[in-house]
Structure formats: structure tokens, C-alpha cells
Amino acid sequence: MENNNKIESNRIADDLEPVSMYQIFARMFIHLAKEIVEEFGEKGEAAVKRGVWNFGVERGKDIARRAHVRGQKNDSDNYLISYDMDRSDEFESIDTYGDGYVEQYFTRCVFASEFQKAGMEKYGWLYCEMIDPAIAYGYNPNLECIHEKHFFTDNVCTFCFKMKDCKGSKS
């Protein structure tokens, strides 16, 4: 029997708006974090933070590997250019490079947006406070992450990634 009604299984209907992997990841994270914290309280919260930290360190080590493959040092100049995650239009930032540091000013972040839409900022903090310092540390233990402004409180997010011996950073 011949089947003439074949459908490509990896295509969504043209009349549906796709949901990005970033949105799906954020939604999954808050549901997992919420269940763990509700079940185990402070110990659960600490476990989620450790999990995010370990995930971030692993990513940072891979970003360092990516810099190395390109023949570059794992310093602040090569951090973002070797990053493992593309910036889709769901993120919007201005990156400013200085001597031994790079600053980022985010005006859009799909993760923060999803956490806020769900009213789950409490669990979003567990991710947002840990992930970037952990990635920076995994990339280079001498790369500090200063995270002064946050979407949940300031409607923008700012980062300064600076080498510990850097004196030129604004932060």
C-alpha cells in the first residue's frame, strides 16, 4: 500500500508561532526548581543552586575549550566571542570591551521574561544569580562576574566580566 499523506514530523504548522528552546528551557527550569524547593525547602534551594553552579562551570570549561581551539587565551577578550550560546533576537545587549574586562547591558532576556510571565521570579533568581558567575569561573577562575542590575528589580541586567588583576574596569 502506498501512503500519499506523508507529513514531515519535524515541522510545525505554518499558522502556529514557534516556541524557542530558550522559552522551553526556562519553563522547564522553573517547574523543576519549584518542585524541589517546595519538597525540600532550604536544602532543596541549596541543591538547585549547586546544580546550576555545576552546570555553569561545565559550560565555562567548554567555552575555554572553544577559545583554545581558536588559538585564543581564556581571558575577558575571548569570553563572549567563544561563548556556547547564540544570541537570538530574544536577547538584546550592548557589549563594551575594556582593558581586561567586558561589560554587558541587557535590555531583553527571554529567561527573565519567561520567569516573570509565569510569576516565578523566586525560582528564576536561583538560576540568574548562579549561572553567569559559574560560567565565568569555569571559563577562567580569575574571571570575576559582577552582576549589579537584574531584570526582576531593575528591568535591565548588567554584567561586568573582569580579570581579577584588572584595574581598568568601571565596576
Side-chain angles (χ1 to χ4, degrees), residues 115-171:
F115 298 152
Q116 289 172 312
K117 276 195 265 183
M120 301 272 205
E121 295 93 328
K122 172 182 177 178
Y123 305 105
W125 275 109
L126 301 176
Y127 184 80
C128 294
E129 285 295 299
M130 300 301 289
I131 192 64
D132 288 288
I135 295 170
Y137 180 84
Y139 175 75
N140 184 330
N142 291 314
L143 184 66
E144 295 178 298
C145 173
I146 302 160
H147 189 185
E148 291 182 341
K149 293 186 186 251
H150 307 269
F151 276 105
F152 303 142
T153 55
D154 304 300
N155 293 318
V156 297
C157 214
T158 61
F159 297 95
C160 180
F161 299 98
K162 76 174 204 166
M163 301 306 290
K164 286 185 180 175
D165 60 355
C166 171
K167 302 211 185 326
S169 172
K170 295 176 187 174
S171 297

Side-chain angles (χ1 to χ4, degrees), residues 41-57:
E42 288 181 16
K43 286 185 177 184
E45 187 173 311
V48 170
K49 286 181 174 183
R50 282 192 313 273
V52 172
W53 178 266
N54 292 333
F55 171 62
V57 169

Side-chain angles (χ1 to χ4, degrees), residues 20-99:
S20 77
M21 291 305 297
Y22 300 117
Q23 291 169 303
I24 291 170
F25 172 83
R27 293 172 188 173
M28 180 187 70
F29 177 83
I30 55 178
H31 286 285
L32 288 172
K34 181 179 185 287
E35 290 297 321
I36 293 167
V37 171
E38 285 182 356
E39 181 76 20
F40 300 105
E42 288 181 16
K43 286 185 177 184
E45 187 173 311
V48 170
K49 286 181 174 183
R50 282 192 313 273
V52 172
W53 178 266
N54 292 333
F55 171 62
V57 169
E58 179 181 295
R59 284 185 58 202
K61 287 179 180 180
D62 190 56
I63 294 167
R65 180 198 59 80
R66 292 163 58 93
H68 179 74
V69 165
R70 295 176 48 247
Q72 303 297 319
K73 298 186 297 186
N74 62 334
D75 59 11
S76 62
D77 289 343
N78 293 297
Y79 180 58
L80 295 179
I81 197 143
S82 302
Y83 213 68
D84 62 346
M85 198 172 89
D86 282 335
R87 293 283 188 231
S88 75
D89 61 358
E90 294 176 285
F91 297 91
E92 191 172 280
S93 71
I94 298 170
D95 304 336
T96 306
Y97 286 81
D99 188 20

